[in-house]
Amino acid sequence: QVQLVESGGGLVLPGDSLRLSCAASGRTVSTYIMGWFRQAPGKEREFVARINWSGVDTNYADSVKGRFAISRDRVKNTVYLQMNSLQPEDTAVYYCAAKRTYQSEYEYWGQGTQVTVSS
């Protein structure tokens, strides 16, 4: 069983930065592919970024490319999402997720952390 706990959300001004953390527990979680998703009010949940087990292979949604960076600390079993140049359209609940392979579905999800970007 894998458990994911997000933290680091909050209220920030446009242009500010924020770093989200996702603490993972589970025997083999360090080998999982980890992803970040977000869901804004009234919208579908959307993919933000993902990172493979080694941290070498990353992928981003076009809307965050160049502003967000995903990373992982395999020793701490923690995945991070560094978010820079935040804009009001980044406001959403951000979720961490884990899956075993590139082809599989994300099977483990955290409870989410709220990020609000507003002046």
Side-chain angles (χ1 to χ4, degrees), residues 45-112:
R45 185 168 59 194
E46 64 174 0
F47 167 78
V48 175
R50 68 116 174 94
I51 189 167
N52 75 330
W53 68 272
S54 69
V56 172
D57 183 32
T58 59
N59 190 36
Y60 297 91
D62 287 343
S63 58
V64 306
K65 205 170 289 185
R67 299 189 298 124
F68 290 13
I70 188 171
S71 61
R72 72 189 299 169
D73 184 327
R74 296 184 67 202
V75 173
K76 295 183 179 179
N77 273 345
T78 301
V79 178
Y80 304 98
L81 185 68
Q82 177 67 42
M83 305 185 295
N84 300 323
S85 302
L86 283 162
Q87 300 301 318
E89 52 266 34
D90 296 315
T91 295
V93 177
Y94 283 71
Y95 297 92
C96 177
K99 62 177 180 177
R100 298 172 193 265
T101 70
Y102 284 107
Q103 293 77 19
S104 62
E105 297 292 323
Y106 283 94
E107 57 187 295
Y108 300 104
W109 294 84
Q111 82 289 349

Side-chain angles (χ1 to χ4, degrees), residues 13-36:
L13 296 171
D16 281 356
S17 297
L18 206 57
R19 190 177 80 159
L20 304 183
S21 299
C22 172
S25 61
R27 193 169 52 186
T28 59
V29 70
S30 62
T31 66
Y32 279 47
I33 292 169
M34 303 296 294
W36 284 99

